[in-house]
Amino acid sequence: MLKILRGLGWTLGGLLVLAIVVWCASRMWPVPESRVLAQQRLEARLPATGRNGYALLWTLPFDGLDARQREQALAEDARRWAADPRGGSIGQTHLAASHAELHSRPGASCGPTASNCLAQVRADPQPFVDAHAGHQQLHTRLDQLAEADHFVSPFQPKGEGILVPLPTYGLVVDATSARALAYVQGDVEGALRGSCRGLQLGRRLVPGGSYLVESIVGASLVQANAQLLADMLVELPADHPLPVECEQAMQPMRADEQSLCRATQGEYAMSRAAIETSASEFGGVLVLDRSSTLARVAGNLGWACGATAMAALEADRPLPVQAPPQRDFGCLSNVMGCVLTDIAAPIYPAYSSRTQDAAAMLRLLGAQRWLRQQAGDPVDALQRLPAQFRSPVRTPRLSADGSRLQVPRRSPPRSNDESAWLSVPLAAGAPSTAARD
Protein backbone atom coordinates (compact mmCIF):
# COMPACT_ATOMS: atom_id res chain seq x y z
CA MET A 1 0.00 0.00 0.00
CA LEU A 2 2.84 2.35 0.88
CA LYS A 3 4.43 1.71 -2.50
CA ILE A 4 1.12 2.45 -4.21
CA LEU A 5 0.69 5.71 -2.31
CA ARG A 6 4.28 6.64 -3.02
CA GLY A 7 3.71 5.89 -6.70
CA LEU A 8 0.55 8.01 -6.76
CA GLY A 9 2.44 10.82 -5.07
CA TRP A 10 5.20 10.69 -7.67
CA THR A 11 2.60 10.57 -10.43
CA LEU A 12 0.70 13.54 -9.06
CA GLY A 13 3.93 15.40 -8.49
CA GLY A 14 5.01 14.68 -12.04
CA LEU A 15 1.67 15.87 -13.39
CA LEU A 16 1.94 19.04 -11.31
CA VAL A 17 5.44 19.71 -12.62
CA LEU A 18 4.24 19.05 -16.17
CA ALA A 19 1.27 21.43 -15.67
CA ILE A 20 3.61 24.12 -14.37
CA VAL A 21 5.99 23.63 -17.31
CA VAL A 22 3.10 23.78 -19.79
CA TRP A 23 1.63 26.84 -18.06
CA CYS A 24 4.99 28.63 -18.11
CA ALA A 25 5.58 27.70 -21.74
CA SER A 26 2.11 28.99 -22.59
CA ARG A 27 2.85 32.29 -20.84
CA MET A 28 6.01 32.65 -22.91
CA TRP A 29 4.21 31.91 -26.17
CA PRO A 30 5.15 34.70 -28.60
CA VAL A 31 2.60 37.33 -29.59
CA PRO A 32 2.20 37.71 -33.38
CA GLU A 33 3.89 40.81 -34.74
CA SER A 34 0.61 42.02 -36.28
CA ARG A 35 -0.93 42.31 -32.81
CA VAL A 36 2.13 44.09 -31.47
CA LEU A 37 1.90 46.68 -34.26
CA ALA A 38 -1.86 47.06 -33.71
CA GLN A 39 -1.23 47.60 -30.01
CA GLN A 40 1.30 50.33 -30.75
CA ARG A 41 -1.19 52.14 -33.00
CA LEU A 42 -3.94 51.94 -30.40
CA GLU A 43 -1.72 53.21 -27.59
CA ALA A 44 -0.52 56.23 -29.61
CA ARG A 45 -3.57 58.38 -28.79
CA LEU A 46 -4.48 60.86 -31.53
CA PRO A 47 -4.26 64.53 -30.48
CA ALA A 48 -7.40 66.65 -30.31
CA THR A 49 -7.19 70.27 -31.38
CA GLY A 50 -9.65 73.11 -31.23
CA ARG A 51 -12.67 73.56 -29.01
CA ASN A 52 -13.85 70.68 -26.80
CA GLY A 53 -17.66 70.54 -26.67
CA TYR A 54 -17.89 67.78 -24.07
CA ALA A 55 -19.06 70.05 -21.24
CA LEU A 56 -22.11 71.11 -23.25
CA LEU A 57 -22.74 67.53 -24.39
CA TRP A 58 -22.49 66.21 -20.83
CA THR A 59 -24.89 68.84 -19.42
CA LEU A 60 -27.18 68.92 -22.48
CA PRO A 61 -30.39 67.97 -20.58
CA PHE A 62 -30.22 71.03 -18.29
CA ASP A 63 -31.62 74.48 -19.09
CA GLY A 64 -30.48 77.78 -17.60
CA LEU A 65 -26.70 77.23 -17.35
CA ASP A 66 -24.04 79.35 -18.98
CA ALA A 67 -20.83 77.95 -20.50
CA ARG A 68 -18.80 78.53 -17.30
CA GLN A 69 -21.34 76.70 -15.15
CA ARG A 70 -21.33 73.76 -17.54
CA GLU A 71 -17.54 73.53 -17.46
CA GLN A 72 -17.61 73.66 -13.65
CA ALA A 73 -20.28 70.95 -13.49
CA LEU A 74 -18.25 68.65 -15.74
CA ALA A 75 -15.09 69.27 -13.72
CA GLU A 76 -16.92 68.43 -10.47
CA ASP A 77 -18.38 65.23 -11.94
CA ALA A 78 -14.94 64.21 -13.25
CA ARG A 79 -13.46 64.86 -9.79
CA ARG A 80 -16.13 62.71 -8.13
CA TRP A 81 -15.58 59.97 -10.67
CA ALA A 82 -11.81 59.95 -10.05
CA ALA A 83 -12.33 59.86 -6.27
CA ASP A 84 -14.76 56.91 -6.35
CA PRO A 85 -12.85 53.62 -6.67
CA ARG A 86 -15.78 51.84 -8.30
CA GLY A 87 -17.22 54.73 -10.30
CA GLY A 88 -20.75 56.09 -10.29
CA SER A 89 -23.83 55.46 -12.40
CA ILE A 90 -23.72 55.81 -16.14
CA GLY A 91 -24.64 59.26 -17.46
CA GLN A 92 -25.35 60.74 -14.02
CA THR A 93 -24.28 64.18 -12.92
CA HIS A 94 -24.62 65.95 -9.60
CA LEU A 95 -26.74 68.57 -11.40
CA ALA A 96 -29.66 66.14 -11.36
CA ALA A 97 -30.08 66.73 -7.63
CA SER A 98 -30.75 70.47 -8.01
CA HIS A 99 -31.83 71.07 -11.63
CA ALA A 100 -34.75 69.88 -13.72
CA GLU A 101 -33.56 67.39 -16.33
CA LEU A 102 -35.03 67.09 -19.81
CA HIS A 103 -35.70 63.62 -21.16
CA SER A 104 -36.41 62.16 -24.56
CA ARG A 105 -40.16 61.65 -24.87
CA PRO A 106 -42.15 58.94 -26.63
CA GLY A 107 -43.03 60.04 -30.13
CA ALA A 108 -39.90 62.15 -30.66
CA SER A 109 -37.88 59.66 -32.67
CA CYS A 110 -37.99 58.88 -36.38
CA GLY A 111 -35.40 56.13 -35.93
CA PRO A 112 -31.61 56.17 -36.18
CA THR A 113 -31.60 56.93 -39.93
CA ALA A 114 -34.73 59.15 -40.01
CA SER A 115 -36.16 57.12 -42.88
CA ASN A 116 -39.47 58.73 -43.98
CA CYS A 117 -39.25 61.18 -41.07
CA LEU A 118 -40.88 63.98 -43.04
CA ALA A 119 -43.73 61.71 -44.07
CA GLN A 120 -44.18 60.48 -40.49
CA VAL A 121 -44.42 64.00 -39.10
CA ARG A 122 -46.69 65.18 -41.88
CA ALA A 123 -49.06 62.23 -41.41
CA ASP A 124 -49.50 62.81 -37.66
CA PRO A 125 -47.72 65.90 -36.33
CA GLN A 126 -49.31 66.08 -32.89
CA PRO A 127 -47.15 63.39 -31.20
CA PHE A 128 -44.07 65.25 -32.41
CA VAL A 129 -45.47 68.59 -31.21
CA ASP A 130 -46.02 67.07 -27.77
CA ALA A 131 -42.62 65.35 -27.73
CA HIS A 132 -40.71 68.58 -28.41
CA ALA A 133 -42.84 70.98 -26.37
CA GLY A 134 -40.71 73.11 -24.05
CA HIS A 135 -37.46 72.03 -25.69
CA GLN A 136 -36.62 75.32 -27.39
CA GLN A 137 -33.54 75.91 -25.23
CA LEU A 138 -32.44 72.33 -25.87
CA HIS A 139 -32.64 72.88 -29.62
CA THR A 140 -30.53 76.01 -29.26
CA ARG A 141 -27.90 74.03 -27.35
CA LEU A 142 -27.88 71.36 -30.04
CA ASP A 143 -27.14 74.06 -32.62
CA GLN A 144 -24.28 75.26 -30.40
CA LEU A 145 -22.87 71.73 -30.13
CA ALA A 146 -22.18 71.77 -33.87
CA GLU A 147 -19.66 74.58 -33.32
CA ALA A 148 -17.33 72.35 -31.27
CA ASP A 149 -14.32 70.69 -32.89
CA HIS A 150 -14.23 67.52 -30.77
CA PHE A 151 -15.82 65.85 -27.74
CA VAL A 152 -13.08 64.35 -25.60
CA SER A 153 -14.27 62.93 -22.28
CA PRO A 154 -12.35 63.75 -19.06
CA PHE A 155 -13.59 60.54 -17.40
CA GLN A 156 -10.84 57.94 -17.20
CA PRO A 157 -11.98 54.32 -17.65
CA LYS A 158 -12.16 52.07 -14.60
CA GLY A 159 -12.14 48.33 -14.38
CA GLU A 160 -15.01 47.83 -11.94
CA GLY A 161 -18.73 48.46 -12.32
CA ILE A 162 -19.44 51.13 -14.93
CA LEU A 163 -16.29 51.41 -17.05
CA VAL A 164 -16.96 55.03 -18.02
CA PRO A 165 -19.98 57.39 -17.74
CA LEU A 166 -21.63 58.54 -20.97
CA PRO A 167 -23.81 61.54 -21.89
CA THR A 168 -27.50 61.30 -22.74
CA TYR A 169 -27.51 60.68 -26.49
CA GLY A 170 -31.26 60.22 -26.93
CA LEU A 171 -31.82 63.98 -26.91
CA VAL A 172 -29.24 64.38 -29.66
CA VAL A 173 -30.71 61.76 -31.98
CA ASP A 174 -34.35 62.79 -31.47
CA ALA A 175 -33.63 66.32 -32.65
CA THR A 176 -34.00 65.22 -36.29
CA SER A 177 -37.77 65.01 -35.95
CA ALA A 178 -37.82 68.53 -34.46
CA ARG A 179 -36.35 69.82 -37.74
CA ALA A 180 -38.91 67.84 -39.74
CA LEU A 181 -41.66 69.34 -37.58
CA ALA A 182 -40.33 72.86 -38.18
CA TYR A 183 -40.44 72.24 -41.93
CA VAL A 184 -44.01 70.89 -41.82
CA GLN A 185 -45.08 73.90 -39.76
CA GLY A 186 -43.66 76.28 -42.39
CA ASP A 187 -40.26 77.20 -40.96
CA VAL A 188 -38.37 76.02 -44.03
CA GLU A 189 -35.19 78.00 -43.44
CA GLY A 190 -35.06 77.05 -39.78
CA ALA A 191 -35.50 73.39 -40.69
CA LEU A 192 -32.74 73.51 -43.30
CA ARG A 193 -30.42 75.40 -40.97
CA GLY A 194 -31.06 73.00 -38.09
CA SER A 195 -30.56 69.93 -40.26
CA CYS A 196 -27.24 71.25 -41.54
CA ARG A 197 -26.12 71.93 -37.98
CA GLY A 198 -27.15 68.38 -37.04
CA LEU A 199 -25.17 67.15 -40.02
CA GLN A 200 -22.15 69.13 -38.88
CA LEU A 201 -22.47 67.80 -35.33
CA GLY A 202 -22.48 64.24 -36.63
CA ARG A 203 -19.39 64.92 -38.71
CA ARG A 204 -17.54 66.18 -35.64
CA LEU A 205 -18.67 63.30 -33.41
CA VAL A 206 -17.48 60.53 -35.74
CA PRO A 207 -13.72 61.19 -35.46
CA GLY A 208 -13.77 63.52 -32.45
CA GLY A 209 -15.32 61.49 -29.63
CA SER A 210 -13.65 59.21 -27.12
CA TYR A 211 -15.46 55.91 -27.72
CA LEU A 212 -17.26 53.94 -30.40
CA VAL A 213 -20.70 54.94 -29.13
CA GLU A 214 -20.02 58.58 -30.03
CA SER A 215 -18.78 57.68 -33.51
CA ILE A 216 -21.84 55.52 -34.17
CA VAL A 217 -24.16 58.26 -32.90
CA GLY A 218 -22.29 60.69 -35.14
CA ALA A 219 -22.69 58.42 -38.17
CA SER A 220 -26.42 58.12 -37.45
CA LEU A 221 -26.71 61.90 -37.23
CA VAL A 222 -24.97 62.34 -40.58
CA GLN A 223 -27.18 59.77 -42.26
CA ALA A 224 -30.41 60.97 -40.63
CA ASN A 225 -29.88 64.65 -41.36
CA ALA A 226 -28.68 63.98 -44.91
CA GLN A 227 -31.82 61.90 -45.48
CA LEU A 228 -34.06 64.61 -44.06
CA LEU A 229 -32.34 67.33 -46.09
CA ALA A 230 -32.80 65.27 -49.25
CA ASP A 231 -36.50 64.79 -48.49
CA MET A 232 -36.98 68.51 -47.85
CA LEU A 233 -34.90 69.82 -50.76
CA VAL A 234 -36.68 67.67 -53.32
CA GLU A 235 -39.88 69.58 -52.49
CA LEU A 236 -38.19 72.94 -53.04
CA PRO A 237 -36.96 74.52 -56.29
CA ALA A 238 -33.71 72.96 -57.50
CA ASP A 239 -31.90 76.28 -57.09
CA HIS A 240 -33.35 77.08 -53.66
CA PRO A 241 -30.65 78.99 -51.73
CA LEU A 242 -29.31 77.17 -48.70
CA PRO A 243 -28.44 78.69 -45.30
CA VAL A 244 -24.77 79.50 -44.85
CA GLU A 245 -24.48 76.65 -42.32
CA CYS A 246 -25.10 74.15 -45.12
CA GLU A 247 -22.13 75.17 -47.26
CA GLN A 248 -19.56 73.38 -45.10
CA ALA A 249 -21.86 70.73 -43.62
CA MET A 250 -22.89 69.33 -47.03
CA GLN A 251 -19.34 68.96 -48.35
CA PRO A 252 -18.32 65.30 -48.90
CA MET A 253 -16.67 63.71 -45.86
CA ARG A 254 -12.90 63.31 -46.02
CA ALA A 255 -11.29 60.01 -45.09
CA ASP A 256 -10.05 61.36 -41.75
CA GLU A 257 -13.61 62.43 -40.90
CA GLN A 258 -14.77 58.83 -41.32
CA SER A 259 -11.97 57.36 -39.22
CA LEU A 260 -12.81 55.27 -36.15
CA CYS A 261 -9.22 55.29 -34.90
CA ARG A 262 -9.77 57.61 -31.92
CA ALA A 263 -12.91 55.69 -31.00
CA THR A 264 -11.17 52.30 -31.02
CA GLN A 265 -8.28 53.77 -29.04
CA GLY A 266 -10.85 54.65 -26.37
CA GLU A 267 -12.31 51.14 -26.49
CA TYR A 268 -8.80 49.73 -26.07
CA ALA A 269 -8.23 51.96 -23.03
CA MET A 270 -11.49 50.71 -21.46
CA SER A 271 -10.48 47.10 -22.11
CA ARG A 272 -7.08 47.72 -20.57
CA ALA A 273 -8.66 49.09 -17.38
CA ALA A 274 -10.94 46.05 -17.10
CA ILE A 275 -8.10 43.60 -17.78
CA GLU A 276 -5.77 45.19 -15.24
CA THR A 277 -8.47 45.05 -12.57
CA SER A 278 -9.30 41.41 -13.32
CA ALA A 279 -5.64 40.40 -13.35
CA SER A 280 -5.09 41.91 -9.89
CA GLU A 281 -7.90 39.89 -8.30
CA PHE A 282 -7.12 36.76 -6.32
CA GLY A 283 -6.41 33.90 -8.72
CA GLY A 284 -6.84 36.13 -11.74
CA VAL A 285 -3.20 35.88 -12.72
CA LEU A 286 -3.55 32.10 -13.21
CA VAL A 287 -6.21 32.38 -15.93
CA LEU A 288 -5.62 35.86 -17.34
CA ASP A 289 -2.39 37.02 -18.93
CA ARG A 290 -2.52 40.82 -19.01
CA SER A 291 -0.07 41.38 -21.87
CA SER A 292 -1.38 38.57 -24.06
CA THR A 293 -5.00 39.65 -23.56
CA LEU A 294 -4.21 43.27 -24.39
CA ALA A 295 -2.53 42.07 -27.58
CA ARG A 296 -5.64 40.04 -28.45
CA VAL A 297 -7.81 43.11 -27.82
CA ALA A 298 -5.52 45.05 -30.15
CA GLY A 299 -6.03 42.30 -32.73
CA ASN A 300 -9.78 42.99 -32.54
CA LEU A 301 -9.47 46.79 -32.75
CA GLY A 302 -6.28 47.61 -34.63
CA TRP A 303 -7.98 47.63 -38.06
CA ALA A 304 -9.26 51.18 -37.48
CA CYS A 305 -5.83 52.82 -37.26
CA GLY A 306 -2.94 53.09 -39.67
CA ALA A 307 -2.26 53.73 -43.34
CA THR A 308 -4.17 50.67 -44.56
CA ALA A 309 -7.40 51.87 -42.93
CA MET A 310 -6.94 55.38 -44.28
CA ALA A 311 -6.36 54.07 -47.80
CA ALA A 312 -9.55 52.00 -47.57
CA LEU A 313 -11.53 55.06 -46.46
CA GLU A 314 -10.06 57.12 -49.29
CA ALA A 315 -11.17 54.52 -51.84
CA ASP A 316 -14.47 53.67 -50.10
CA ARG A 317 -13.37 50.05 -49.81
CA PRO A 318 -14.44 47.88 -46.84
CA LEU A 319 -12.12 48.41 -43.90
CA PRO A 320 -9.62 45.59 -43.30
CA VAL A 321 -11.33 44.18 -40.21
CA GLN A 322 -9.28 41.16 -39.20
CA ALA A 323 -10.82 37.86 -38.20
CA PRO A 324 -10.89 37.33 -34.42
CA PRO A 325 -7.55 36.09 -33.08
CA GLN A 326 -7.48 32.30 -33.18
CA ARG A 327 -7.04 30.18 -30.08
CA ASP A 328 -3.39 29.20 -29.72
CA PHE A 329 -1.08 27.59 -27.20
CA GLY A 330 -1.00 30.86 -25.26
CA CYS A 331 -4.68 30.42 -24.35
CA LEU A 332 -3.83 27.50 -22.04
CA SER A 333 -2.61 29.99 -19.43
CA ASN A 334 -4.96 32.78 -20.55
CA VAL A 335 -8.36 31.09 -20.57
CA MET A 336 -10.28 34.12 -19.30
CA GLY A 337 -8.53 36.55 -21.64
CA CYS A 338 -9.20 34.41 -24.72
CA VAL A 339 -12.87 33.91 -23.81
CA LEU A 340 -13.43 37.63 -23.22
CA THR A 341 -11.78 38.72 -26.47
CA ASP A 342 -13.65 36.02 -28.42
CA ILE A 343 -16.97 37.34 -27.06
CA ALA A 344 -16.22 40.95 -28.03
CA ALA A 345 -14.79 40.30 -31.50
CA PRO A 346 -18.01 39.75 -33.56
CA ILE A 347 -19.45 43.23 -32.88
CA TYR A 348 -16.69 45.22 -34.57
CA PRO A 349 -17.26 44.37 -38.27
CA ALA A 350 -20.78 45.83 -38.02
CA TYR A 351 -19.38 49.13 -36.74
CA SER A 352 -16.60 49.39 -39.30
CA SER A 353 -18.84 50.36 -42.23
CA ARG A 354 -21.32 52.70 -40.50
CA THR A 355 -19.25 55.81 -41.10
CA GLN A 356 -18.61 54.82 -44.73
CA ASP A 357 -22.37 54.57 -45.30
CA ALA A 358 -22.81 57.96 -43.65
CA ALA A 359 -20.27 59.42 -46.09
CA ALA A 360 -22.05 57.68 -48.99
CA MET A 361 -25.36 59.20 -47.87
CA LEU A 362 -23.77 62.65 -47.87
CA ARG A 363 -22.44 62.10 -51.39
CA LEU A 364 -25.95 61.09 -52.47
CA LEU A 365 -27.30 64.34 -51.04
CA GLY A 366 -24.79 66.32 -53.10
CA ALA A 367 -25.52 64.22 -56.20
CA GLN A 368 -29.26 64.80 -55.77
CA ARG A 369 -28.83 68.56 -55.65
CA TRP A 370 -26.46 68.56 -58.62
CA LEU A 371 -28.63 66.24 -60.73
CA ARG A 372 -31.79 68.28 -60.16
CA GLN A 373 -29.99 71.34 -61.54
CA GLN A 374 -29.05 69.60 -64.79
CA ALA A 375 -31.11 69.83 -67.95
CA GLY A 376 -32.05 66.79 -70.01
CA ASP A 377 -32.26 63.11 -69.21
CA PRO A 378 -31.02 62.21 -65.68
CA VAL A 379 -29.48 59.01 -67.08
CA ASP A 380 -27.27 61.06 -69.40
CA ALA A 381 -26.53 63.62 -66.70
CA LEU A 382 -25.33 60.89 -64.33
CA GLN A 383 -22.53 60.13 -66.75
CA ARG A 384 -21.16 63.62 -65.96
CA LEU A 385 -21.58 63.35 -62.19
CA PRO A 386 -18.65 65.16 -60.50
CA ALA A 387 -16.12 62.87 -58.86
CA GLN A 388 -16.79 64.35 -55.41
CA PHE A 389 -20.29 62.80 -55.43
CA ARG A 390 -19.20 59.24 -56.21
CA SER A 391 -16.57 56.83 -55.00
CA PRO A 392 -14.36 54.40 -56.94
CA VAL A 393 -16.60 51.48 -55.90
CA ARG A 394 -20.03 53.07 -55.34
CA THR A 395 -21.37 55.25 -58.13
CA PRO A 396 -24.95 56.54 -57.69
CA ARG A 397 -27.50 55.09 -60.08
CA LEU A 398 -31.22 55.48 -60.69
CA SER A 399 -33.75 53.13 -59.13
CA ALA A 400 -35.79 50.91 -61.44
CA ASP A 401 -38.60 53.48 -61.65
CA GLY A 402 -36.20 56.40 -61.98
CA SER A 403 -37.59 58.17 -58.93
CA ARG A 404 -34.61 57.75 -56.62
CA LEU A 405 -30.83 57.95 -56.65
CA GLN A 406 -29.14 55.08 -54.82
CA VAL A 407 -25.99 53.17 -53.90
CA PRO A 408 -25.63 49.80 -52.13
CA ARG A 409 -25.62 49.89 -48.35
CA ARG A 410 -22.48 48.39 -46.83
CA SER A 411 -23.32 48.18 -43.13
CA PRO A 412 -25.57 45.37 -41.82
CA PRO A 413 -29.27 46.31 -41.54
CA ARG A 414 -30.42 47.46 -38.10
CA SER A 415 -33.98 46.28 -38.65
CA ASN A 416 -35.89 43.91 -40.91
CA ASP A 417 -37.40 46.74 -42.94
CA GLU A 418 -34.10 48.51 -43.66
CA SER A 419 -33.32 48.47 -47.36
CA ALA A 420 -30.17 47.12 -48.96
CA TRP A 421 -29.83 50.53 -50.64
CA LEU A 422 -29.06 54.03 -49.46
CA SER A 423 -31.23 56.36 -51.50
CA VAL A 424 -32.57 59.90 -51.92
CA PRO A 425 -35.64 61.03 -53.92
CA LEU A 426 -35.36 62.86 -57.25
CA ALA A 427 -38.96 63.98 -57.32
CA ALA A 428 -41.42 65.07 -54.62
CA GLY A 429 -43.63 62.19 -53.56
CA ALA A 430 -41.15 59.50 -54.65
CA PRO A 431 -41.85 56.16 -52.99
CA SER A 432 -39.90 55.36 -49.87
CA THR A 433 -36.92 53.03 -49.97
CA ALA A 434 -38.68 50.50 -47.75
CA ALA A 435 -41.77 50.48 -49.96
CA ARG A 436 -39.79 50.15 -53.18
CA ASP A 437 -37.45 47.44 -52.00
Side-chain angles (χ1 to χ4, degrees), residues 116-414:
N116 297 323
C117 189
L118 199 59
Q120 291 181 50
V121 174
R122 187 171 278 145
D124 189 9
Q126 193 57 48
F128 295 94
V129 171
D130 296 339
H132 294 294
H135 285 185
Q136 289 80 8
Q137 292 186 50
L138 169 65
H139 299 158
T140 299
R141 291 196 294 278
L142 287 169
D143 286 348
Q144 293 170 349
L145 268 180
E147 299 172 3
D149 297 297
H150 60 85
F151 302 88
V152 176
S153 170
F155 299 103
Q156 297 302 309
K158 296 185 177 182
E160 296 184 12
I162 304 298
L163 293 181
V164 69
L166 297 172
T168 304
Y169 288 109
L171 292 172
V172 178
V173 177
D174 288 350
T176 309
S177 64
R179 278 100 188 215
L181 179 63
Y183 180 87
V184 169
Q185 292 177 331
D187 184 10
V188 174
E189 298 309 303
L192 295 175
R193 184 179 300 108
S195 294
C196 286
R197 284 188 174 272
L199 192 56
Q200 183 66 25
L201 173 58
R203 296 178 67 143
R204 297 289 170 81
L205 273 172
V206 169
S210 295
Y211 305 102
L212 268 175
V213 63
E214 288 145 355
S215 293
I216 300 310
V217 168
S220 292
L221 284 177
V222 171
Q223 188 169 338
N225 283 281
Q227 184 72 69
L228 181 58
L229 278 165
D231 292 344
M232 292 189 293
L233 289 174
V234 79
E235 298 184 354
L236 300 173
D239 58 351
H240 183 88
L242 295 178
V244 65
E245 290 85 353
C246 296
E247 182 177 351
Q248 180 179 2
M250 289 176 61
Q251 292 295 315
M253 291 178 73
R254 304 185 309 271
D256 61 320
E257 290 183 283
Q258 303 171 49
S259 173
L260 293 173
C261 185
R262 173 183 289 282
T264 55
Q265 287 178 335
E267 298 296 315
Y268 176 81
M270 277 202 295
S271 297
R272 181 172 55 195
I275 290 166
E276 289 176 347
T277 299
S278 298
S280 65
E281 294 175 352
F282 178 77
V285 69
L286 297 176
V287 293
L288 194 151
D289 182 348
R290 176 187 175 278
S291 60
S292 178
T293 304
L294 279 173
R296 289 178 66 86
V297 171
N300 284 339
L301 294 169
W303 51 265
C305 298
T308 302
M310 196 60 67
L313 292 174
E314 290 279 4
D316 191 32
R317 296 193 310 269
L319 284 166
V321 182
Q322 297 175 347
Q326 297 297 307
R327 294 292 185 96
D328 53 24
F329 185 66
C331 286
L332 290 177
S333 62
N334 187 31
V335 176
M336 182 184 296
C338 290
V339 168
L340 292 177
T341 51
D342 287 350
I343 292 173
I347 67 173
Y348 298 117
Y351 293 146
S352 67
S353 51
R354 291 279 175 83
T355 62
Q356 290 183 304
D357 277 356
M361 193 69 204
L362 195 51
R363 288 194 297 269
L364 277 176
L365 175 62
Q368 177 211 48
R369 192 155 190 262
W370 179 87
L371 194 60
R372 292 183 68 229
Q373 294 173 343
Q374 306 306 304
D377 190 340
V379 176
D380 295 333
L382 271 179
Q383 305 304 313
R384 309 188 306 272
L385 185 68
Q388 69 192 78
F389 301 135
R390 49 187 166 85
S391 80
V393 296
R394 288 195 284 186
T395 298
R397 65 184 187 185
L398 295 177
S399 60
D401 61 5
S403 66
R404 301 185 72 86
L405 197 61
Q406 61 187 25
V407 295
R409 184 189 303 275
R410 181 168 294 159
S411 58
R414 283 169 281 196

